[in-house]
Amino acid sequence: MVSAADFVVVVSARNPLNALRADQVAAIFLAQSGRFPGGAEAVALDLPLGSPLRNEFYATVAARTPALMKAYWTKMVFTGRGQPPRELASSVAARKLVADNPAMIAYIDKSALDASVKALEVMQ
């Protein structure tokens, strides 16, 4: 299991998933996959650029620094291969959106976790 200090990867409590591998999470957040295992639509949500939680999330699941992420999205957008996930202002805003939509996935501060969302186990 990934040792994540402060964040949890969450989906709606109505989403049947309980666990994903780190590479599956990375594929969804890097616009390499628009689906959860099983075929349901997956829509990633990001926290603001420069936020410590965002930097920690991408370092943990994708092994990428903020500079590498910026270069990645510049290339993806320029070549028309993908758009970065929608950014939300806070963990609470991300949790509220995820709670209402089983297709959405986000990472949030552990302190923002509540029963409206389900924390996924992220495995290596």
Side-chain angles (χ1 to χ4, degrees):
M1 177 146 166
V2 173
S3 63
D6 302 318
F7 72 84
V8 286
V9 176
V10 295
V11 292
S12 166
R14 300 193 311 260
N15 187 311
L17 279 180
N18 290 311
L20 284 172
R21 293 190 322 271
D23 63 315
Q24 292 171 314
V25 174
I28 292 168
F29 278 87
L30 297 175
Q32 295 165 352
S33 171
R35 305 248 164 234
F36 288 117
E41 182 186 17
V43 179
L45 300 172
D46 241 338
L47 291 178
L49 200 56
S51 79
L53 216 56
R54 177 172 169 153
N55 295 346
E56 184 189 347
F57 170 78
Y58 284 105
T60 304
V61 302
R64 292 177 190 220
T65 62
L68 283 172
M69 287 305 302
K70 182 175 175 17
Y72 176 82
W73 284 119
T74 300
K75 181 178 166 193
M76 289 290 281
V77 171
F78 181 75
T79 58
R81 296 212 319 267
Q83 289 292 325
R86 179 171 154 198
E87 267 183 45
L88 292 158
S90 69
S91 289
V92 172
R95 183 194 71 216
K96 285 180 179 164
L97 221 54
V98 168
D100 294 337
N101 189 333
M104 293 189 168
I105 182 169
Y107 54 92
I108 63 172
D109 193 295
K110 273 187 181 152
S111 65
L113 195 59
D114 71 15
S116 69
V117 294
K118 179 171 25 174
L120 292 180
E121 182 182 349
V122 179
M123 302 164 298
Q124 286 295 26

